Amino acid sequence: MSVRLRPIQALRLWQEVGLSMVRRHAVDLTQRQMVILLTIYLEPPPHTVRGLAAKLGVTKPVITRALDAMGELDLVSRRRDPADRRNVIIQRTVRGSLFLDEFSDRVVEAAGALAP
Amino acid sequence: MSVRLRPIQALRLWQEVGLSMVRRHAVDLTQRQMVILLTIYLEPPPHTVRGLAAKLGVTKPVITRALDAMGELDLVSRRRDPADRRNVIIQRTVRGSLFLDEFSDRVVEAAGALAP
DNA sequence: GAAAGATGATACGGATGTGAAACGATCGGG
DNA sequence: CCCGATCGTTTCACATCCGTATCATCTTTC
């Protein structure tokens, strides 16, 4: 079933989650990087640079650089497609899964604590 | 009453909202800027630089620069406190309210469209 | 096999954010 | 009245991100 949320609750949810992220001085991803990470983990593989660029409506260098940054943090990994060596397959990592698990827990918790 | 949300739904919600923001090439605020904006609009005034810095756990220059950026976009405005002229009172703007209204609508819509 | 096309990475110039430190303006207690 | 404390801003050096254009590599087509 869908989730019923009122506008004021939506804003409070965003504030609460953002606040906890900022305060923890944790991994600080760009909005684009976050969307890329979520797409990789939520949608069925395989994921390629051009596919992600098309989905987000941004240029390929944006994806490449985001993958560089997140690869440095071990949130995603890349490897060449053996079938077509022009392609790069973007893969999930244990650390990336853990990061999103913790993130979603934080969102769920904040949602549960919302005032009526 | 509180909002019941499952982890996978939380992730899909964040992806959907982030995706719509990225695609629209709309105003793209830093996570910190967004939290500051939300705090200004959700919590009771008055808001000061040091108050926001303390709440977010960041340094004052971060707040000053975020206000510079958002002031440029006319999302917030600043004015000196007449009572104590060292203080700066941060105020809401029509454009800021409109921006958050649209944003929350987008969140609510995405939440309503979530799969079970 | 050579040329054309596709894919991801890189170079460049510009814009913006950050932390640490220092600064000018203002208030307030002695 | 004055000197320390407070508040917001600015400066500096550094890092990151962006879009455009270009590049190297690989595949497909003829």
Side-chain angles (χ1 to χ4, degrees):
Chain A
M1 70 203 71
S2 68
V3 176
R4 301 175 61 86
L5 194 65
R6 291 185 300 106
I8 186 68
Q9 291 178 318
L11 295 182
R12 291 209 173 275
L13 178 60
W14 239 257
Q15 186 205 17
E16 197 61 40
V17 172
L19 201 52
S20 76
M21 301 276 286
V22 169
R23 273 210 264 240
R24 287 176 201 278
H25 291 79
V27 186
D28 171 40
L29 298 181
T30 299
Q31 190 176 41
R32 293 177 170 193
Q33 291 174 342
M34 190 64 174
V35 172
I36 292 170
L37 188 64
L38 284 167
T39 300
I40 294 168
Y41 279 81
L42 288 176
E43 310 213 341
H47 300 287
T48 64
V49 171
R50 93 187 160 289
L52 290 171
K55 181 170 184 66
L56 302 206
V58 299
T59 59
K60 289 189 295 179
V62 169
I63 306 295
T64 294
R65 284 182 298 241
L67 294 178
D68 287 346
M70 293 191 292
E72 195 67 27
L73 297 172
D74 196 29
L75 295 177
V76 299
S77 79
R78 277 184 284 196
R79 83 191 231 298
R80 284 281 165 186
D81 180 356
D84 184 338
R85 294 182 44 74
R86 288 173 305 181
N87 291 345
V88 161
I89 307 293
I90 296 129
Q91 297 175 300
R92 306 165 188 180
T93 64
V94 172
R95 192 154 142 63
S97 292
L98 189 62
F99 173 77
L100 287 185
D101 280 354
E102 292 172 352
F103 175 76
S104 60
D105 284 348
R106 212 168 307 158
V107 176
V108 170
E109 182 186 337
L114 282 177
Chain B
M1 70 202 66
S2 68
V3 176
R4 301 174 63 86
L5 193 65
R6 292 185 300 104
I8 184 70
Q9 290 178 317
L11 295 182
R12 290 207 173 277
L13 178 60
W14 239 257
Q15 186 207 15
E16 197 60 39
V17 172
L19 201 52
S20 77
M21 301 276 286
V22 170
R23 272 210 265 238
R24 288 178 200 277
H25 293 80
V27 186
D28 79 320
L29 300 179
T30 300
Q31 191 175 40
R32 292 176 169 192
Q33 293 174 342
M34 190 64 176
V35 172
I36 292 170
L37 188 65
L38 285 167
T39 300
I40 294 168
Y41 278 80
L42 288 176
E43 312 214 339
H47 300 286
T48 64
V49 171
R50 87 185 167 291
L52 290 171
K55 179 168 185 70
L56 303 205
V58 298
T59 59
K60 289 187 297 178
V62 169
I63 306 295
T64 293
R65 284 181 297 238
L67 294 179
D68 286 345
M70 292 192 292
E72 196 68 26
L73 297 172
D74 195 30
L75 296 177
V76 300
S77 78
R78 279 184 281 198
R79 85 184 170 74
R80 284 281 165 188
D81 181 356
D84 183 341
R85 293 181 46 75
R86 288 173 303 180
N87 290 345
V88 162
I89 306 294
I90 296 128
Q91 297 176 301
R92 307 166 188 179
T93 64
V94 172
R95 190 151 145 55
S97 291
L98 190 62
F99 173 76
L100 287 185
D101 280 354
E102 293 173 352
F103 175 76
S104 61
D105 284 347
R106 211 168 308 159
V107 176
V108 170
E109 182 185 336
L114 282 177

